[in-house]
Amino acid sequence: MSFLLYLLACTPQPKNQIQLAPESIGSAECDVCGMLVQEQPSPRGQLVYADGTHAFTCSLHGLHLMARAPTPRGKPLAIYVEALSPSFDWSQMSTEPLKWISADQAHFVAGAVRHLVMGPPLLSYADAQAAESAADRLGVRPLRWQKLFETDDLSDLTKTNLE
């Protein structure tokens, strides 16, 4: 009997599965500035860490900062952005929740003038053609997440045409 108890105690227990899918914003506060994320204009960001924590940012600039910053949680297991519709008017400040997509699948555009947005504004699209159209109107090129992630200062993206 004691041997059976010993085996049970020493047998690894299954760990809870970490929910990697994006969550709704709800009443989350921005992990960068503390503002209520749902009150900030789209697009916003979300990171998922190995401990199951979903961290939200009120801007894609904040997402860029958090994704690159060292943290006791380790590197994020998943990074999401809200996808703007092809007809999105970036001069508008809609706070409506949008569909979450993986940052790796998104197409980004820098250079839009958007007041009341934290940091250099970035736009995120699920559709390459929508991103190219927005980039053409701004005289820039669309970017992918890897290029954004490697960029130290996002304000430089509004000054140059990165490939």
Side-chain angles (χ1 to χ4, degrees), residues 115 127 136 145 158:
H115 302 287
D127 179 81
D136 284 348
W145 176 252
T158 61

Side-chain angles (χ1 to χ4, degrees), residues 25-45:
I25 294 170
S27 61
E29 291 181 1
C30 178
D31 275 44
V32 175
C33 68
M35 295 180 3
L36 286 175
V37 177
Q38 69 181 352
E39 294 179 355
Q40 307 313 311
S42 305
R44 297 161 285 215

Side-chain angles (χ1 to χ4, degrees), residues 24-147:
S24 65
I25 294 170
S27 61
E29 291 181 1
C30 178
D31 275 44
V32 175
C33 68
M35 295 180 3
L36 286 175
V37 177
Q38 69 181 352
E39 294 179 355
Q40 307 313 311
S42 305
R44 297 161 285 215
Q46 178 176 169
L47 303 98
V48 184
Y49 292 97
D51 66 358
T53 302
H54 286 247
F56 292 87
T57 63
C58 64
S59 70
L60 297 185
H61 178 254
L63 180 73
H64 176 263
L65 294 174
M66 284 198 59
R68 293 170 46 104
T71 171
R73 297 176 183 151
K75 291 184 179 186
L77 299 178
I79 302 174
Y80 297 99
V81 297
E82 288 182 306
L84 301 172
S85 71
S87 61
F88 178 77
D89 178 359
W90 62 71
S91 67
Q92 300 301 309
M93 294 295 164
S94 173
T95 60
E96 291 298 315
L98 302 175
K99 178 183 175 186
W100 292 106
I101 62 169
S102 171
D104 287 337
Q105 296 175 347
H107 302 267
F108 296 89
V109 176
V113 174
R114 296 190 79 202
H115 302 287
L116 305 175
V117 174
M118 300 288 285
L122 288 171
L123 308 173
S124 53
Y125 297 90
D127 179 81
Q129 189 173 13
E132 288 170 12
S133 175
D136 284 348
R137 286 180 276 159
L138 293 166
V140 297
R141 291 192 177 137
L143 306 162
R144 298 306 299 264
W145 176 252
Q146 189 59 41
K147 187 67 170 182

Side-chain angles (χ1 to χ4, degrees), residues 17-29:
Q17 291 285 39
I18 301 206
Q19 176 62 289
L20 290 179
E23 293 180 347
S24 65
I25 294 170
S27 61
E29 291 181 1

